[in-house]
Amino acid sequence: MSSENSPQSPEQQLRKPRVAVVFGGRSSEHAISVVTAGAVLRSIDRTKYDVLPIGITTDGRWALTADDPERMAIADRALPSVDQIAESTDGAVVLSIDPGNREVVYSEPGSVPKALGEVDVVFPVLHGPYGEDGTLQGLLELSGVPYVGAGVLASAVGQDKEYMKRVFTSFGLPVGPYLVIRPREWEQGPEGAKGAAARAKITDFAAEHGWPLFVKPARAGSSMGITKVEDASGLDEAITEAQRHDPKILVESLLRGREIECGVLEFEDGPRASVPAEIPPVTAHDFYDFEAKYIDSATGLVPAPLTEEQTAEVQRLAVEAFDAASCEGLVRADFFLTEDGEFVINEINTLPGFTPISMFPRMWQESGVGYPELIDRLIQAALRRPTGLR
């Protein structure tokens, strides 16, 4: 594969760049990806870009979908899906893996495949496994198609919270106490010898760091599958819930303090940090879970009420996290400001939500980069970036 983008043909130079917005996917965050795509489709500059919406169903089929953002929103607490807006129940979109051919083809059983034209850049708004974790990014690298956001390695590191924390630790970034329960440690549940050993491992961790603990999937987002566990009696149910999303489990101690977020965006001269935001305590929920984020629309404070020194410090740490994981395009970095005044990084999100209530666009809006400009900057950064090794 060429290490740089192919020169544009005269026809490409005359037409607008074509952006494929790819969304949905096989993860438990499917619906939030659809909501995010609706917000992007609503705000992308159609005078500057041609847009091709491509949805991925929960069973992995790539489908042509209606370009209809209104049908992609949460309505009356009901979550949208790609199947609801797909133009066909069995038609499929195929992207060539020939790096010299960016043609997208649509086919239905019994019909002649239809060429949909070339794609210049992909804007993936998939959350979770099979999209945010480097799998889609690897396909696009094979295809030689530029794309918005982090590459294969950074996407994989950003998705797997265990290795994310290992990378941060190796770069000297502060992380909180955690442990990992691997699938084989719980393969027979709590009744087997391995399960008993895993439970003992967790209770020993709690004895050192205290209850409550948070039990979560190691490779999921949008606060899916997370349980706050007050004592050992709640462990089995919490692990079962987390394993609905991922067989590998992360257990974290409670860090008492404030939840602070900061956005990082790639500019022409390198990454810059936004003003930070604060997620205040959610009184109707035990913590900032999926329902609080997306159904009840709990909101944060932008900008966060921090001192100038605290703001500068969290911005510095956010950019350091971006660089430590070799990120590109964008990142939302989440921190705890502990009671002793120290920032501890909780995680990064390499494809943060772009819903109307999402923190990443709100932080950049407050930093002087509005939603349409934010989308434009991400697309332009992707078009500037060479494909292949870089």
Side-chain angles (χ1 to χ4, degrees):
M1 183 191 305
S2 170
S3 61
E4 8 183 348
N5 291 334
S6 303
Q8 288 192 325
S9 66
E11 180 187 352
Q12 288 174 313
Q13 293 171 358
L14 289 174
R15 65 175 174 80
K16 294 182 287 188
R18 195 169 208 207
V19 181
V21 178
V22 180
F23 60 96
R26 294 163 55 191
S27 84
S28 55
E29 298 173 75
H30 177 98
I32 297 308
S33 173
V34 177
V35 175
T36 296
V40 171
L41 291 171
R42 188 179 294 110
S43 301
I44 195 169
D45 186 351
R46 303 304 179 103
T47 67
K48 192 170 184 177
Y49 303 107
D50 285 328
V51 180
L52 177 66
I54 300 175
I56 301 178
T57 63
T58 53
D59 61 2
R61 179 174 62 91
W62 289 44
L64 276 183
T65 68
D67 188 356
D68 187 354
E70 301 308 316
R71 295 172 59 195
M72 304 165 91
I74 297 173
D76 297 324
R77 303 177 75 88
L79 299 174
S81 73
V82 168
D83 290 286
Q84 296 168 356
I85 56 173
E87 293 190 353
S88 168
T89 57
D90 50 12
V93 173
V94 178
L95 178 67
S96 171
I97 58 170
D98 175 1
N101 176 16
R102 295 179 180 175
E103 188 87 7
V104 175
V105 175
Y106 177 73
S107 62
E108 291 192 58
S111 300
V112 176
K114 176 184 177 183
L116 300 178
E118 292 190 346
V119 165
D120 297 295
V121 61
V122 169
F123 196 135
V125 289
L126 294 135
H127 303 309
Y130 313 109
E132 188 180 352
D133 58 352
T135 50
L136 175 67
Q137 291 75 12
L139 172 65
L140 296 173
E141 291 287 352
L142 288 173
S143 301
V145 179
Y147 54 91
V148 168
V152 175
L153 174 66
S155 297
V157 168
Q159 185 64 39
D160 191 315
K161 295 177 178 63
E162 175 192 0
Y163 289 98
M164 180 197 308
K165 291 176 187 289
R166 291 182 182 273
V167 167
F168 290 158
T169 300
S170 73
F171 277 82
L173 290 163
V175 302
Y178 71 97
L179 63 83
V180 177
I181 302 297
R182 302 189 184 283
R184 64 178 179 272
E185 297 180 79
W186 203 258
E187 62 188 1
Q188 296 173 336
E191 306 305 324
K194 291 181 179 180
R199 279 183 117 266
K201 179 177 170 181
I202 297 172
T203 54
D204 287 347
F205 178 81
E208 180 180 358
H209 299 289
W211 299 92
L213 302 176
F214 286 93
V215 176
K216 61 175 66 174
R219 295 163 292 193
S222 297
S223 297
M224 290 282 193
I226 301 177
T227 304
K228 184 179 180 181
V229 181
E230 300 290 346
D231 55 48
S233 67
L235 280 177
D236 295 351
E237 185 178 349
I239 292 173
T240 298
E241 171 59 22
Q243 285 193 322
R244 290 180 53 237
H245 304 271
D246 186 353
K248 184 165 78 166
I249 305 304
L250 199 73
V251 179
E252 296 175 335
S253 64
L254 172 67
L255 291 177
R256 300 187 185 278
R258 299 160 62 187
E259 293 188 47
I260 305 296
E261 299 185 348
C262 189
V264 180
L265 183 64
E266 183 182 345
F267 285 75
E268 289 82 356
D269 59 352
R272 301 182 199 171
S274 69
V275 301
E278 179 171 4
I279 307 299
V282 185
T283 56
H285 298 263
D286 206 20
F287 60 97
Y288 194 46
D289 61 5
F290 179 86
E291 290 255 333
K293 283 183 180 180
Y294 298 109
I295 303 300
D296 294 336
S297 301
T299 189
L301 305 174
V302 187
L306 300 171
T307 67
E308 289 185 13
E309 292 77 12
Q310 288 172 327
T311 295
E313 175 67 0
V314 75
Q315 289 174 326
R316 180 185 70 81
L317 290 170
V319 172
E320 284 193 12
F322 182 96
D323 287 335
S326 298
C327 294
E328 296 168 300
L330 72 164
V331 148
R332 193 194 70 232
D334 300 345
F335 298 85
F336 292 104
L337 177 56
T338 64
E339 293 175 339
D340 60 4
E342 299 297 321
F343 283 104
V344 174
I345 187 164
N346 183 38
E347 64 183 49
I348 58 171
N349 193 315
T350 57
L351 281 173
F354 274 75
T355 69
I357 60 171
S358 295
M359 299 307 297
F360 186 84
R362 288 186 61 205
M363 288 187 287
W364 278 107
Q365 177 75 44
E366 189 68 24
S367 304
V369 180
Y371 198 106
E373 182 186 351
L374 180 62
I375 293 171
D376 183 59
R377 283 191 172 277
L378 290 169
I379 294 171
Q380 290 299 316
L383 288 169
R384 287 195 306 271
R385 190 183 309 135
T387 55
L389 297 178
R390 51 189 182 273

